[in-house]
Amino acid sequence: MKKNIVFLSLVLTGGLLFAQGHLFEFKYKEGDSYRVLSTVQEDVFLNDKFHHHAEIINRVSVRVTGLDENGNGIHDAIFMTSENSTGARGGTFSYGEDYESVFSRDSTGKYDISDEYFMPVVRDVPIFPKEEINEGDEWTAQGHEAHDLRRTFALRKPYKIPFDANYKFLGKVEEDGKTFYKFDVQYTMGFTVAPDLYNSANGDVPVATEGYSHQTIYWDYEKGCIDHYRENFRIEILTSSNALLRFEGTAHAEVTDFTRTSDEKNVADVMEKISDLGIDDVSVSAGEKGLTLSIENIQFKPDSDILLQSERAKLDKIAQILKAYPNNDLLITGHTALRGTRESRQELSEERAQAVANYLIAKKVRDKYHVFTKGMGGEVPIADNKTESGRAKNRRVEITIMDR
């Protein structure tokens, strides 16, 4: 009888000693900002023959600008994709083109996004039930992938591939001293293009797509967001010319809160540190992408990307400042004076940006997946190229602590 009373008590209180359900929701707050960085290792095949291997970085910088009347988070996001620079010493990633996207997302994970935006690719994953779930529970929810095929096939709208994703809650896990909730997500794709797609493109177009994705998601319950995930994937696209493209590989993504750097206080703090460390020819400014340290008159061996010892010592001091912002990515931008051809200036600016990036990577300021490079040639002068002092200022490398 006592056992029956205890059992009845557990039933009435939700059976907390046996299983405790959890309500999983995305949590949004105006002013939140975070960065998603995914690293993709991908093999590309054309007509079943290996074509090339790609190492790809997808970087997403997000600000929650507000909540709508339903409490959905309004997101203002910048997406950037970069493929590993071929032959670059240290394997630095060039900073690619930025794409803006504005969308809302509800507490279950459902997107509301216009067709004018091509990012993100995977949408409505994960989708959570509106009721509590227990370890071992399974459910299915619709989602879709939206691919940007403007350059490949001249499609003016995202190429959308619908799917049904199958979910399983695997329970609570510990990783690196942190507690996460683990989910298994799998979906397959089989999609034939609607005839009206041909009206929006010229020449070769995709006619059928199939593939799969298998993700393991690690959820931060307190923050109400994904902390990181891992994925295996394959996608095949058959075109109207009977070309078969296949992409298969793995992906890993991390979600990080970063420090806002582009404000007057941080500029003043960094300038004070530069003065205390005795670093010459370095200015600090706040811009759209973050806080930038401009190293003017940076010294390389003539017409090369080999840093002089004096500049390495300067970078050692700057590294102390950069390490104070461990969660912020770095953008290294090279500039030259007006000397030589436009092509040679562009190449030299890229090489010098890579040289500085590789030095900082070697000093373990960041790993190569969190440092991006860009060359501007002589297109953005800050002084008169007719004087030696002006040319010295224009020969510079800028290090931006990114918050956008």
Side-chain angles (χ1 to χ4, degrees):
M1 176 64 75
K2 185 176 181 181
K3 291 182 179 179
N4 290 337
I5 293 174
V6 171
F7 176 75
L8 179 61
S9 175
L10 290 174
V11 171
L12 294 175
T13 58
L16 296 180
L17 295 183
F18 290 104
Q20 183 176 2
H22 296 276
L23 182 64
F24 290 92
E25 294 181 317
F26 284 87
K27 299 176 183 178
Y28 309 113
K29 185 176 64 176
E30 183 175 353
D32 282 350
S33 59
Y34 60 92
R35 189 261 289 130
V36 183
L37 195 74
S38 72
T39 306
V40 180
Q41 301 290 339
E42 179 180 83
D43 289 327
V44 181
F45 297 82
L46 176 60
N47 296 327
D48 289 326
K49 292 184 178 180
F50 178 78
H51 190 269
H52 69 278
H53 176 79
E55 185 176 34
I56 302 166
I57 288 286
N58 296 300
R59 184 183 187 275
V60 190
S61 171
V62 183
R63 292 176 181 171
V64 179
T65 58
L67 305 178
D68 66 16
E69 64 275 9
N70 298 315
N72 303 329
I74 302 171
H75 297 68
D76 183 353
I78 299 293
F79 291 77
M80 188 281 297
T81 297
S82 175
E83 191 165 327
N84 202 350
S85 303
T86 303
R89 294 200 303 270
T92 58
F93 287 87
S94 296
Y95 194 84
E97 184 177 354
D98 281 335
Y99 294 92
E100 183 181 12
S101 185
V102 178
F103 54 87
S104 68
R105 199 173 188 186
D106 68 17
S107 61
T108 70
K110 183 74 174 177
Y111 281 84
D112 184 4
I113 181 171
S114 166
D115 276 349
E116 68 180 292
Y117 299 116
F118 288 81
M119 298 289 183
V121 173
V122 180
R123 302 175 182 180
D124 304 335
V125 176
I127 294 289
F128 292 116
K130 293 185 178 180
E131 63 273 0
E132 291 185 349
I133 60 175
N134 295 285
E135 183 176 342
D137 282 355
E138 301 181 7
W139 67 97
T140 301
Q142 291 184 331
H144 67 277
E145 293 191 0
H147 292 269
D148 183 357
L149 300 183
R150 286 174 291 182
R151 293 180 179 176
T152 310
F153 296 108
L155 302 187
R156 294 192 295 269
K157 292 183 178 181
Y159 175 57
K160 296 181 179 179
I161 308 169
F163 56 77
D164 290 327
N166 299 307
Y167 296 85
K168 185 174 183 179
F169 178 30
L170 302 179
K172 189 185 297 186
V173 297
E174 300 287 334
E175 273 197 6
D176 299 325
K178 298 180 180 179
T179 300
F180 301 111
Y181 292 78
K182 186 176 178 181
F183 297 88
D184 183 84
V185 187
Q186 300 186 48
Y187 59 85
T188 58
M189 296 174 288
F191 181 64
T192 302
V193 171
D196 62 359
L197 185 64
Y198 293 97
N199 299 328
S200 65
N202 297 315
D204 204 14
V205 294
V207 296
T209 303
E210 65 175 37
Y212 73 86
S213 171
H214 184 187
Q215 299 180 20
T216 305
I217 293 176
Y218 295 82
W219 182 261
D220 188 318
Y221 192 82
E222 183 178 347
K223 290 183 177 180
C225 67
I226 296 172
D227 183 86
H228 61 286
Y229 72 82
R230 302 184 181 99
E231 179 187 20
N232 296 301
F233 67 89
R234 177 181 58 81
I235 184 169
E236 292 186 353
I237 299 177
L238 179 66
T239 76
S240 55
S241 67
N242 286 322
L244 181 63
L245 298 168
R246 185 167 86 249
F247 310 87
E248 58 184 42
T250 62
H252 172 267
E254 60 186 39
V255 181
T256 304
D257 297 326
F258 51 70
T259 303
R260 286 284 169 209
T261 62
S262 54
D263 57 34
E264 293 181 2
K265 182 180 183 304
N266 277 307
V267 169
D269 288 346
V270 172
M271 289 180 65
E272 183 178 355
K273 291 176 183 176
I274 287 172
S275 177
D276 292 343
L277 291 169
I279 308 173
D280 297 325
D281 298 321
V282 175
S283 60
V284 184
S285 61
E288 181 181 347
K289 288 191 178 298
L291 186 147
T292 297
L293 289 76
S294 180
I295 310 171
E296 299 168 6
N297 196 27
I298 186 166
Q299 299 294 304
F300 295 84
K301 290 186 177 180
D303 298 319
S304 80
D305 62 349
I306 302 174
L307 283 160
L308 296 184
Q309 185 58 43
S310 60
E311 304 309 294
R312 296 180 185 182
K314 183 181 295 184
L315 287 174
D316 288 343
K317 294 179 180 179
I318 291 174
Q320 298 177 42
I321 298 172
L322 301 178
K323 287 180 178 179
Y325 303 90
N327 293 329
N328 295 61
D329 299 330
L330 301 179
L331 173 61
I332 316 297
T333 307
H335 300 264
T336 67
L338 284 180
R339 180 178 178 181
T341 65
R342 180 185 293 247
E343 291 76 15
S344 65
R345 293 195 298 268
Q346 179 63 33
E347 183 178 359
L348 185 59
S349 69
E350 292 173 1
E351 290 174 346
R352 288 181 169 179
Q354 289 169 5
V356 171
N358 290 337
Y359 188 81
L360 295 175
I361 291 168
K363 290 292 181 178
K364 302 189 183 303
V365 175
R366 300 287 192 281
D367 64 32
K368 72 172 186 176
Y369 301 107
H370 296 82
V371 180
F372 302 93
T373 60
K374 191 172 187 177
M376 299 300 295
E379 302 303 307
V380 191
I382 58 173
D384 190 347
N385 274 295
K386 295 179 180 179
T387 67
E388 180 52 41
S389 62
R391 290 191 291 271
K393 286 182 176 294
N394 292 332
R395 288 191 297 269
R396 68 194 189 279
V397 171
E398 297 172 340
I399 302 175
T400 300
I401 306 170
M402 299 182 71
D403 60 18
R404 188 63 171 145

